[in-house]
PDB file of all heavy atoms in Angstrom:
ATOM      1  N   PRO A1302      10.465   7.836 -14.065  1.00 97.00           N
ATOM      2  CA  PRO A1302       9.426   6.983 -13.490  1.00 97.00           C
ATOM      3  C   PRO A1302       9.990   6.053 -12.424  1.00 97.00           C
ATOM      4  O   PRO A1302      11.195   5.880 -12.298  1.00 97.00           O
ATOM      5  CB  PRO A1302       8.932   6.183 -14.702  1.00 97.00           C
ATOM      6  CG  PRO A1302      10.121   6.123 -15.597  1.00 97.00           C
ATOM      7  CD  PRO A1302      10.876   7.408 -15.395  1.00 97.00           C
ATOM      8  N   LEU A1303       9.048   5.449 -11.677  1.00 97.00           N
ATOM      9  CA  LEU A1303       9.441   4.554 -10.591  1.00 97.00           C
ATOM     10  C   LEU A1303       8.554   3.326 -10.608  1.00 97.00           C
ATOM     11  O   LEU A1303       7.341   3.403 -10.856  1.00 97.00           O
ATOM     12  CB  LEU A1303       9.270   5.252  -9.241  1.00 97.00           C
ATOM     13  CG  LEU A1303       9.472   4.374  -8.002  1.00 97.00           C
ATOM     14  CD1 LEU A1303      10.942   4.044  -7.804  1.00 97.00           C
ATOM     15  CD2 LEU A1303       8.892   5.051  -6.759  1.00 97.00           C
ATOM     16  N   SER A1304       9.165   2.183 -10.318  1.00 97.00           N
ATOM     17  CA  SER A1304       8.396   0.970 -10.103  1.00 97.00           C
ATOM     18  C   SER A1304       9.107   0.121  -9.064  1.00 97.00           C
ATOM     19  O   SER A1304      10.223  -0.348  -9.284  1.00 97.00           O
ATOM     20  CB  SER A1304       8.244   0.180 -11.399  1.00 97.00           C
ATOM     21  OG  SER A1304       7.479  -1.002 -11.169  1.00 97.00           O
ATOM     22  N   LEU A1305       8.457  -0.054  -7.927  1.00 97.00           N
ATOM     23  CA  LEU A1305       8.961  -0.929  -6.869  1.00 97.00           C
ATOM     24  C   LEU A1305       8.004  -2.100  -6.745  1.00 97.00           C
ATOM     25  O   LEU A1305       6.792  -1.921  -6.755  1.00 97.00           O
ATOM     26  CB  LEU A1305       9.045  -0.191  -5.530  1.00 97.00           C
ATOM     27  CG  LEU A1305       9.890   1.070  -5.475  1.00 97.00           C
ATOM     28  CD1 LEU A1305       9.867   1.646  -4.059  1.00 97.00           C
ATOM     29  CD2 LEU A1305      11.305   0.798  -5.927  1.00 97.00           C
ATOM     30  N   GLU A1306       8.559  -3.283  -6.596  1.00 96.00           N
ATOM     31  CA  GLU A1306       7.721  -4.477  -6.579  1.00 96.00           C
ATOM     32  C   GLU A1306       7.875  -5.247  -5.272  1.00 96.00           C
ATOM     33  O   GLU A1306       8.953  -5.292  -4.674  1.00 96.00           O
ATOM     34  CB  GLU A1306       8.058  -5.381  -7.754  1.00 96.00           C
ATOM     35  CG  GLU A1306       7.077  -6.537  -7.942  1.00 96.00           C
ATOM     36  CD  GLU A1306       7.181  -7.182  -9.312  1.00 96.00           C
ATOM     37  OE1 GLU A1306       7.757  -6.554 -10.224  1.00 96.00           O
ATOM     38  OE2 GLU A1306       6.690  -8.310  -9.448  1.00 96.00           O
ATOM     39  N   CYS A1307       6.790  -5.851  -4.873  1.00 97.00           N
ATOM     40  CA  CYS A1307       6.742  -6.626  -3.645  1.00 97.00           C
ATOM     41  C   CYS A1307       5.910  -7.878  -3.903  1.00 97.00           C
ATOM     42  O   CYS A1307       4.825  -7.786  -4.492  1.00 97.00           O
ATOM     43  CB  CYS A1307       6.110  -5.781  -2.547  1.00 97.00           C
ATOM     44  SG  CYS A1307       5.723  -6.637  -1.018  1.00 97.00           S
ATOM     45  N   THR A1308       6.417  -9.020  -3.498  1.00 97.00           N
ATOM     46  CA  THR A1308       5.642 -10.255  -3.626  1.00 97.00           C
ATOM     47  C   THR A1308       5.687 -11.021  -2.315  1.00 97.00           C
ATOM     48  O   THR A1308       6.671 -10.963  -1.574  1.00 97.00           O
ATOM     49  CB  THR A1308       6.146 -11.154  -4.755  1.00 97.00           C
ATOM     50  OG1 THR A1308       7.516 -11.494  -4.501  1.00 97.00           O
ATOM     51  CG2 THR A1308       6.044 -10.457  -6.094  1.00 97.00           C
ATOM     52  N   VAL A1309       4.608 -11.716  -2.046  1.00 96.00           N
ATOM     53  CA  VAL A1309       4.484 -12.501  -0.824  1.00 96.00           C
ATOM     54  C   VAL A1309       4.300 -13.962  -1.220  1.00 96.00           C
ATOM     55  O   VAL A1309       3.578 -14.265  -2.177  1.00 96.00           O
ATOM     56  CB  VAL A1309       3.291 -12.022   0.016  1.00 96.00           C
ATOM     57  CG1 VAL A1309       3.159 -12.849   1.292  1.00 96.00           C
ATOM     58  CG2 VAL A1309       3.446 -10.551   0.357  1.00 96.00           C
ATOM     59  N   GLU A1310       4.939 -14.847  -0.479  1.00 95.00           N
ATOM     60  CA  GLU A1310       4.801 -16.280  -0.717  1.00 95.00           C
ATOM     61  C   GLU A1310       4.282 -16.968   0.529  1.00 95.00           C
ATOM     62  O   GLU A1310       4.541 -16.533   1.651  1.00 95.00           O
ATOM     63  CB  GLU A1310       6.160 -16.884  -1.101  1.00 95.00           C
ATOM     64  CG  GLU A1310       6.735 -16.355  -2.408  1.00 95.00           C
ATOM     65  CD  GLU A1310       8.109 -16.933  -2.709  1.00 95.00           C
ATOM     66  OE1 GLU A1310       8.618 -17.710  -1.872  1.00 95.00           O
ATOM     67  OE2 GLU A1310       8.679 -16.619  -3.769  1.00 95.00           O
ATOM     68  N   GLY A1311       3.539 -18.039   0.322  1.00 93.00           N
ATOM     69  CA  GLY A1311       3.139 -18.871   1.448  1.00 93.00           C
ATOM     70  C   GLY A1311       1.836 -18.475   2.106  1.00 93.00           C
ATOM     71  O   GLY A1311       1.495 -19.025   3.167  1.00 93.00           O
ATOM     72  N   THR A1312       1.088 -17.557   1.518  1.00 91.00           N
ATOM     73  CA  THR A1312      -0.198 -17.172   2.069  1.00 91.00           C
ATOM     74  C   THR A1312      -1.101 -16.731   0.922  1.00 91.00           C
ATOM     75  O   THR A1312      -0.615 -16.369  -0.153  1.00 91.00           O
ATOM     76  CB  THR A1312      -0.055 -16.043   3.102  1.00 91.00           C
ATOM     77  OG1 THR A1312      -1.320 -15.797   3.714  1.00 91.00           O
ATOM     78  CG2 THR A1312       0.459 -14.761   2.463  1.00 91.00           C
ATOM     79  N   SER A1313      -2.396 -16.787   1.161  1.00 90.00           N
ATOM     80  CA  SER A1313      -3.358 -16.381   0.132  1.00 90.00           C
ATOM     81  C   SER A1313      -4.159 -15.186   0.616  1.00 90.00           C
ATOM     82  O   SER A1313      -4.467 -15.070   1.803  1.00 90.00           O
ATOM     83  CB  SER A1313      -4.314 -17.542  -0.186  1.00 90.00           C
ATOM     84  OG  SER A1313      -3.610 -18.631  -0.736  1.00 90.00           O
ATOM     85  N   ASN A1314      -4.499 -14.316  -0.341  1.00 92.00           N
ATOM     86  CA  ASN A1314      -5.328 -13.150  -0.078  1.00 92.00           C
ATOM     87  C   ASN A1314      -4.832 -12.322   1.112  1.00 92.00           C
ATOM     88  O   ASN A1314      -5.609 -11.986   2.013  1.00 92.00           O
ATOM     89  CB  ASN A1314      -6.784 -13.561   0.158  1.00 92.00           C
ATOM     90  CG  ASN A1314      -7.721 -12.375   0.044  1.00 92.00           C
ATOM     91  OD1 ASN A1314      -7.462 -11.441  -0.702  1.00 92.00           O
ATOM     92  ND2 ASN A1314      -8.793 -12.387   0.810  1.00 92.00           N
ATOM     93  N   PRO A1315      -3.557 -12.000   1.143  1.00 93.00           N
ATOM     94  CA  PRO A1315      -3.086 -11.159   2.255  1.00 93.00           C
ATOM     95  C   PRO A1315      -3.520  -9.712   2.062  1.00 93.00           C
ATOM     96  O   PRO A1315      -3.812  -9.284   0.944  1.00 93.00           O
ATOM     97  CB  PRO A1315      -1.571 -11.281   2.136  1.00 93.00           C
ATOM     98  CG  PRO A1315      -1.335 -11.456   0.666  1.00 93.00           C
ATOM     99  CD  PRO A1315      -2.498 -12.270   0.177  1.00 93.00           C
ATOM    100  N   ASN A1316      -3.562  -8.977   3.154  1.00 92.00           N
ATOM    101  CA  ASN A1316      -3.613  -7.529   3.061  1.00 92.00           C
ATOM    102  C   ASN A1316      -2.190  -7.059   2.760  1.00 92.00           C
ATOM    103  O   ASN A1316      -1.231  -7.566   3.349  1.00 92.00           O
ATOM    104  CB  ASN A1316      -4.096  -6.909   4.369  1.00 92.00           C
ATOM    105  CG  ASN A1316      -5.533  -7.274   4.683  1.00 92.00           C
ATOM    106  OD1 ASN A1316      -6.328  -7.592   3.806  1.00 92.00           O
ATOM    107  ND2 ASN A1316      -5.868  -7.250   5.962  1.00 92.00           N
ATOM    108  N   LEU A1317      -2.065  -6.100   1.863  1.00 94.00           N
ATOM    109  CA  LEU A1317      -0.734  -5.615   1.474  1.00 94.00           C
ATOM    110  C   LEU A1317      -0.638  -4.117   1.696  1.00 94.00           C
ATOM    111  O   LEU A1317      -1.640  -3.396   1.551  1.00 94.00           O
ATOM    112  CB  LEU A1317      -0.461  -5.946  -0.002  1.00 94.00           C
ATOM    113  CG  LEU A1317      -0.400  -7.436  -0.340  1.00 94.00           C
ATOM    114  CD1 LEU A1317      -0.312  -7.644  -1.845  1.00 94.00           C
ATOM    115  CD2 LEU A1317       0.776  -8.097   0.358  1.00 94.00           C
ATOM    116  N   TYR A1318       0.552  -3.664   2.034  1.00 93.00           N
ATOM    117  CA  TYR A1318       0.757  -2.272   2.427  1.00 93.00           C
ATOM    118  C   TYR A1318       2.059  -1.729   1.846  1.00 93.00           C
ATOM    119  O   TYR A1318       3.042  -2.464   1.718  1.00 93.00           O
ATOM    120  CB  TYR A1318       0.848  -2.152   3.967  1.00 93.00           C
ATOM    121  CG  TYR A1318      -0.262  -2.841   4.711  1.00 93.00           C
ATOM    122  CD1 TYR A1318      -0.210  -4.209   4.968  1.00 93.00           C
ATOM    123  CD2 TYR A1318      -1.378  -2.126   5.162  1.00 93.00           C
ATOM    124  CE1 TYR A1318      -1.234  -4.844   5.637  1.00 93.00           C
ATOM    125  CE2 TYR A1318      -2.397  -2.764   5.842  1.00 93.00           C
ATOM    126  CZ  TYR A1318      -2.318  -4.123   6.077  1.00 93.00           C
ATOM    127  OH  TYR A1318      -3.334  -4.748   6.744  1.00 93.00           O
ATOM    128  N   TRP A1319       2.044  -0.434   1.555  1.00 95.00           N
ATOM    129  CA  TRP A1319       3.271   0.307   1.284  1.00 95.00           C
ATOM    130  C   TRP A1319       3.404   1.403   2.327  1.00 95.00           C
ATOM    131  O   TRP A1319       2.487   2.197   2.537  1.00 95.00           O
ATOM    132  CB  TRP A1319       3.254   0.949  -0.100  1.00 95.00           C
ATOM    133  CG  TRP A1319       3.600   0.019  -1.225  1.00 95.00           C
ATOM    134  CD1 TRP A1319       2.759  -0.457  -2.182  1.00 95.00           C
ATOM    135  CD2 TRP A1319       4.888  -0.532  -1.513  1.00 95.00           C
ATOM    136  NE1 TRP A1319       3.438  -1.282  -3.043  1.00 95.00           N
ATOM    137  CE2 TRP A1319       4.747  -1.345  -2.662  1.00 95.00           C
ATOM    138  CE3 TRP A1319       6.153  -0.429  -0.931  1.00 95.00           C
ATOM    139  CZ2 TRP A1319       5.814  -2.044  -3.232  1.00 95.00           C
ATOM    140  CZ3 TRP A1319       7.206  -1.116  -1.485  1.00 95.00           C
ATOM    141  CH2 TRP A1319       7.034  -1.918  -2.629  1.00 95.00           C
ATOM    142  N   TYR A1320       4.571   1.415   2.974  1.00 93.00           N
ATOM    143  CA  TYR A1320       4.911   2.468   3.924  1.00 93.00           C
ATOM    144  C   TYR A1320       6.138   3.216   3.403  1.00 93.00           C
ATOM    145  O   TYR A1320       6.971   2.668   2.694  1.00 93.00           O
ATOM    146  CB  TYR A1320       5.273   1.874   5.297  1.00 93.00           C
ATOM    147  CG  TYR A1320       4.102   1.471   6.146  1.00 93.00           C
ATOM    148  CD1 TYR A1320       3.503   0.227   5.994  1.00 93.00           C
ATOM    149  CD2 TYR A1320       3.599   2.327   7.125  1.00 93.00           C
ATOM    150  CE1 TYR A1320       2.434  -0.151   6.791  1.00 93.00           C
ATOM    151  CE2 TYR A1320       2.530   1.953   7.932  1.00 93.00           C
ATOM    152  CZ  TYR A1320       1.957   0.710   7.746  1.00 93.00           C
ATOM    153  OH  TYR A1320       0.901   0.340   8.532  1.00 93.00           O
ATOM    154  N   ARG A1321       6.244   4.467   3.812  1.00 94.00           N
ATOM    155  CA  ARG A1321       7.460   5.229   3.569  1.00 94.00           C
ATOM    156  C   ARG A1321       8.006   5.687   4.907  1.00 94.00           C
ATOM    157  O   ARG A1321       7.261   6.121   5.796  1.00 94.00           O
ATOM    158  CB  ARG A1321       7.203   6.441   2.674  1.00 94.00           C
ATOM    159  CG  ARG A1321       8.446   7.303   2.440  1.00 94.00           C
ATOM    160  CD  ARG A1321       8.234   8.295   1.327  1.00 94.00           C
ATOM    161  NE  ARG A1321       7.126   9.195   1.602  1.00 94.00           N
ATOM    162  CZ  ARG A1321       6.517   9.932   0.674  1.00 94.00           C
ATOM    163  NH1 ARG A1321       6.900   9.841  -0.585  1.00 94.00           N
ATOM    164  NH2 ARG A1321       5.543  10.734   1.008  1.00 94.00           N
ATOM    165  N   GLN A1322       9.322   5.622   4.999  1.00 92.00           N
ATOM    166  CA  GLN A1322      10.006   6.017   6.217  1.00 92.00           C
ATOM    167  C   GLN A1322      11.004   7.089   5.855  1.00 92.00           C
ATOM    168  O   GLN A1322      11.960   6.850   5.120  1.00 92.00           O
ATOM    169  CB  GLN A1322      10.705   4.818   6.845  1.00 92.00           C
ATOM    170  CG  GLN A1322      11.274   5.053   8.211  1.00 92.00           C
ATOM    171  CD  GLN A1322      11.868   3.782   8.800  1.00 92.00           C
ATOM    172  OE1 GLN A1322      12.274   2.874   8.087  1.00 92.00           O
ATOM    173  NE2 GLN A1322      11.906   3.697  10.121  1.00 92.00           N
ATOM    174  N   ALA A1323      10.767   8.295   6.343  1.00 83.00           N
ATOM    175  CA  ALA A1323      11.697   9.393   6.127  1.00 83.00           C
ATOM    176  C   ALA A1323      12.375   9.698   7.450  1.00 83.00           C
ATOM    177  O   ALA A1323      11.797   9.483   8.523  1.00 83.00           O
ATOM    178  CB  ALA A1323      10.951  10.623   5.610  1.00 83.00           C
ATOM    179  N   ALA A1324      13.582  10.176   7.366  1.00 75.00           N
ATOM    180  CA  ALA A1324      14.389  10.415   8.575  1.00 75.00           C
ATOM    181  C   ALA A1324      13.632  11.323   9.541  1.00 75.00           C
ATOM    182  O   ALA A1324      13.162  12.392   9.174  1.00 75.00           O
ATOM    183  CB  ALA A1324      15.722  11.043   8.195  1.00 75.00           C
TER     184      ALA A1324
END
Side-chain angles (χ1 to χ4, degrees):
Chain A
L1303 172 73
S1304 180
L1305 303 181
E1306 189 164 343
C1307 171
T1308 59
V1309 180
E1310 296 177 358
T1312 186
S1313 296
N1314 196 31
N1316 295 336
L1317 296 172
Y1318 310 82
W1319 279 110
Y1320 281 85
R1321 178 167 59 197
Q1322 189 176 25

